[in-house]
């Protein structure tokens, strides 16, 4: 991703935090993580993150999804003695369409990103409005998409080791590569 | 504490959540925990809590302090294999005066609750404004007080086992006893 695209996404995410009154430090604002997953279409498949704390016991992040933006399907595998990340998503703003392993309801409310249909395989639908939350056990495939206003989600979890996440789409690179403009 | 006092404090805490736009489910609103610590003066020494998740790996809560309200000095001891709770306080609203073990700055900005001076022994001051946070290691004595507008604090932590907390004041009972009116 180009530096200018990262900066624009940071600005857009910061405006959403401002809109709902989530306070960030100046350092947090200027370091918002922009994950495009190496797919080259951030508005379709991407995620913006602020990590408040990630130590060897727990992690807390704020996730931003732009309108219709999708965090692609992945799971958190065991790493050493860790059985894999357990995570709780709590919707703070907007609507989140979350899909996990389990029964497929037939039709779903999200739209699978065009061209990536082969890499979306779990369709057990959980819809989260503000104040609602859902906990995902380790090793469980999941993906999620924001509704038309975008979404802000608090993530409470065990330790994050994002670099070990396993994505269904083999083209995905989780850790960002930023090209200077 | 009497049921009517609990209900009044729940209503007051819920109004503060509404004020800053933190969404709760109806169940969460009606189950806000009101901790008076058995001291009979909730406005002076007390805390209101919503626990979003507390599993065997991590915990996330929202804490409410009314204007000038103080959470009394305590620590989180080891419990079995657990070295004791590590916790991160992130200020969301208001000002929090937090005191932990370490250097005493001389004068502090909070007011120690009258009549309980003997039970406040750590005075290393950390002032948290919205967006600022501080992480407290296990086994570390700490207490905190809200400024004049009250405060809302997100707590991210390892597993909470509140019943094992050790308070400096031997008169304190952490787990509430509610008397029906």
């Amino acid at each position: 991703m180009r530096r200018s695209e990262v900066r624009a996404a940071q600005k857009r995410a910061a405006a959403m935090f401002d809109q709902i009154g989530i306070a960030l430090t100046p350092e947090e604002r200027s370091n918002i993580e922009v994950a495009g997953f190496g797919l080259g279409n951030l508005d379709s498949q991407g995620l913006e993150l602020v990590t408040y704390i990630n130590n060897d016991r727990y992690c807390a992040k704020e996730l931003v999804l732009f309108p219709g933006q999708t965090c692609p399907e992945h799971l958190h595998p065991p790493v050493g003695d860790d059985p894999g990340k357990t995570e709780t998503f709590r919707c703070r703003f907007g609507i989140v369409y979350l899909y996990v392993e389990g029964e497929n309801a037939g039709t779903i409310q999200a739209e699978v990103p065009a061209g990536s249909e082969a890499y979306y395989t779990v369709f057990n639908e959980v819809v989260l409005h503000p104040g609602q939350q859902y906990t995902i056990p380790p090793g469980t495939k999941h993906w999620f998409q924001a509704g038309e206003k975008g979404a802000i989600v608090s993530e409470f979890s065990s330790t994050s080791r994002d670099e070990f996440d396993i994505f269904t789409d083999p083209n995905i690179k989780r850790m960002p590569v930023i090209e200077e403009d």
Side-chain angles (χ1 to χ4, degrees), chain A:
Chain A
M1 210 179 324
R2 297 189 71 78
R3 175 73 64 191
S4 54
E5 195 184 357
V6 172
R7 291 228 174 90
Q10 287 174 327
K11 199 171 165 185
R12 195 175 173 194
M16 286 177 64
F17 284 121
D18 291 343
Q19 186 186 344
I20 70 158
I22 290 182
L24 301 178
T25 63
E27 294 71 24
E28 288 170 336
R29 287 178 82 88
S30 56
N31 290 312
I32 294 174
E33 183 185 348
V34 178
F37 302 104
L39 297 175
N41 190 348
L42 182 70
D43 283 355
S44 170
Q45 295 184 79
L47 184 67
E48 295 70 43
L49 309 93
V50 175
T51 299
Y52 291 145
I53 180 84
N54 185 26
N55 59 31
D56 62 359
R57 306 186 74 183
Y58 58 87
C59 178
K61 300 180 181 182
E62 222 74 79
L63 312 180
V64 173
L65 292 160
F66 300 141
Q69 197 181 33
T70 302
C71 177
E73 185 176 294
H74 65 285
L75 62 81
H76 306 290
V79 179
D81 291 338
D82 187 322
K85 187 187 182 200
T86 302
E87 61 192 10
T88 301
F89 289 150
R90 184 176 176 92
C91 181
R92 299 291 197 168
F93 166 79
I95 299 178
V96 180
Y97 301 104
L98 170 65
Y99 300 91
V100 297
E101 295 181 32
E103 188 104 15
N104 175 353
T107 55
I108 63 166
Q109 294 183 67
E111 269 189 60
V112 172
S116 294
E117 291 81 357
Y119 311 123
Y120 287 80
T121 68
V122 300
F123 300 102
N124 184 9
E125 186 173 74
V126 179
V127 180
L128 299 176
H129 292 88
Q132 298 179 323
Q133 64 183 44
Y134 188 85
T135 296
I136 301 170
T140 304
K141 284 183 189 162
H142 58 283
W143 62 280
F144 48 100
Q145 184 175 93
E148 61 187 12
K149 291 181 178 172
I152 296 181
V153 176
S154 292
E155 182 189 292
F156 314 124
S157 73
S158 57
T159 305
S160 278
R161 297 180 173 88
D162 298 337
E163 64 277 24
F164 293 103
D165 290 351
I166 297 173
F167 285 85
T168 306
D169 183 347
N171 304 303
I172 283 179
K173 295 177 189 62
R174 170 64 182 89
M175 305 318 279
V177 180
I178 298 175
E179 299 159 28
E180 300 305 328
D181 294 292

